Amino acid sequence: PPSSLAPSKPRVQTARRQHHRHQMAPPQRSAILSDAGPETRPQRTLEDARSMADAGQLEEAMAVLESMQPPDSTRPEFFELLGSVQLSLAQLKAARDTFSRVLYFKHDHEEVLLQMAILSVQLGQDKQAARFRRRAMRAHRDEQSQSSEEKQ
């Protein structure tokens, strides 16, 4: 009978509204953190990874770098540190690719140019190493002339 359908219809609409409201509302932070699993650890920063690398904890630094999310993982400083850690771990081709990203952002990055020269020697690319050294020297001279102009 139609009278038995009438009470169920409002309940279905109410359930839909509650379901729709539930989909739109973001989960509460306390609900996310109540699990106390590994996801609850604070996100490590680029400075954490740098400190680990400086202390010789290369694998730990690499793990932190690999877990980083944008915007940190898209900064040239991120790629510079990642490349240095990769180079220290003898991941030469990965380091070369990573340092290339830094040079894409800043083509005259003196330290990275020197790292690329070292990498090129290790990869047996002596002519390429010489080109990176020349670029690094030019970047150093340019930086020196800029700093002397700023002092005047």
Side-chain angles (χ1 to χ4, degrees):
S3 62
S4 65
L5 294 177
S8 66
K9 189 173 183 178
R11 276 187 246 142
V12 171
Q13 286 178 346
T14 305
R16 280 187 195 147
R17 267 190 234 123
Q18 287 175 347
H19 179 69
H20 182 69
R21 226 179 318 144
H22 178 67
Q23 283 181 339
M24 302 232 358
Q28 296 296 322
R29 183 169 172 83
S30 60
I32 294 171
L33 297 178
S34 66
D35 183 5
E39 299 85 24
T40 62
R41 286 180 282 169
Q43 185 175 359
R44 304 305 286 257
T45 66
L46 189 59
E47 288 309 311
D48 293 332
R50 186 177 315 282
S51 297
M52 290 175 182
D54 290 344
Q57 301 169 333
L58 299 174
E59 289 83 10
E60 294 85 351
M62 180 63 85
V64 169
L65 290 167
E66 288 174 344
S67 72
M68 293 183 74
Q69 302 294 318
D72 286 329
S73 64
T74 58
R75 296 175 24 211
E77 297 84 6
F78 169 83
F79 291 112
E80 182 182 358
L81 180 58
L82 178 61
S84 295
V85 171
Q86 290 169 329
L87 182 59
S88 297
L89 291 171
Q91 298 173 359
L92 303 183
K93 292 181 181 179
R96 181 189 59 203
D97 294 344
T98 301
F99 285 139
S100 293
R101 289 183 179 188
V102 176
L103 294 176
Y104 174 80
F105 290 112
K106 188 173 184 213
H107 69 279
D108 60 349
H109 195 294
E110 183 181 355
E111 293 83 14
V112 170
L113 289 167
L114 290 172
Q115 296 274 32
M116 288 292 277
I118 293 168
L119 261 169
S120 296
V121 167
Q122 291 177 340
L123 292 170
Q125 302 167 341
D126 295 332
K127 289 181 181 181
Q128 185 70 23
R131 281 193 288 272
F132 282 121
R133 280 194 299 274
R134 284 193 300 272
R135 285 178 62 188
M137 288 188 301
R138 191 170 40 248
H140 181 74
R141 280 193 307 265
D142 291 348
E143 187 178 312
Q144 293 298 316
S145 66
Q146 284 178 347
S147 65
S148 65
E149 288 173 8
E150 290 173 4
K151 290 179 183 177
Q152 294 176 355

